[in-house]
Amino acid sequence: MATELKVGDPAPDFKATAVGGIYGGGHEVKLAELAGSTLVLYFYPENDTPGCTIQACDLRDSWRELQSKVELFGVSVDSAESHQEFVKKHGLPFPLLSDSDQKLVKAYQVWDRERMVTERTTYLIGPDQKIKAILKNVKPTEHVTQLLKALAS
């Protein structure tokens, strides 16, 4: 098993399809392209489930405050098509990354092999592409508050 990721470690490299926000119907995104920006990767189990919808809509409702501070991406193993429907249905202003091959969830150590589901975890990655904070087992209704607190520190 890989060594557990921790604050200060380099963020695992990735390449995935982004849907929504400035990426519209789908565009490949690489970690290296985001160097120099503060990045939030929030991993969630599944589109359109109650907790995931609450979490995404809370981020949407806080978007005005967040968009000037971070590049934010939701990440799940759902398909790009499922992401398009989720973005449209809930008016999400930020992009979602499709990780249908489970490379990101495994690289970021948020794939629960026993339950075969993504753990609700957020990574805050600095402009230097090192991990600044890890918010594990986030409660959907508390996510925005925890994220803003992590951004302030």
Side-chain angles (χ1 to χ4, degrees), residues 4-85:
E4 183 175 350
L5 290 173
K6 59 190 179 308
V7 171
D9 286 349
D13 197 16
F14 68 82
K15 176 174 66 174
T17 300
V19 175
I22 63 170
Y23 301 100
H27 179 76
E28 186 178 271
V29 174
K30 298 175 185 173
L31 177 65
E33 295 170 350
L34 301 166
S37 298
T38 299
L39 176 63
V40 171
L41 295 178
Y42 87 90
F43 292 88
Y44 64 96
E46 188 177 359
N47 288 339
D48 246 352
T49 55
C52 298
T53 300
I54 288 168
Q55 184 177 21
C57 290
D58 280 355
L59 287 163
R60 174 200 65 203
D61 296 345
S62 300
W63 186 239
R64 203 173 273 219
E65 185 173 3
L66 290 168
Q67 71 177 345
S68 64
K69 298 177 180 175
V70 299
E71 296 284 339
L72 184 139
F73 294 88
V75 186
S76 79
V77 297
D78 293 303
S79 68
E81 294 77 19
S82 176
H83 280 342
Q84 285 176 328
E85 292 171 19

Side-chain angles (χ1 to χ4, degrees), residues 125-145:
I125 300 166
D128 59 358
Q129 300 202 321
K130 292 190 178 189
I131 298 169
K132 287 182 65 172
I134 304 170
L135 309 175
K136 293 187 177 190
N137 301 311
V138 176
K139 289 189 170 86
T141 56
E142 298 171 8
H143 186 225
V144 170
T145 302

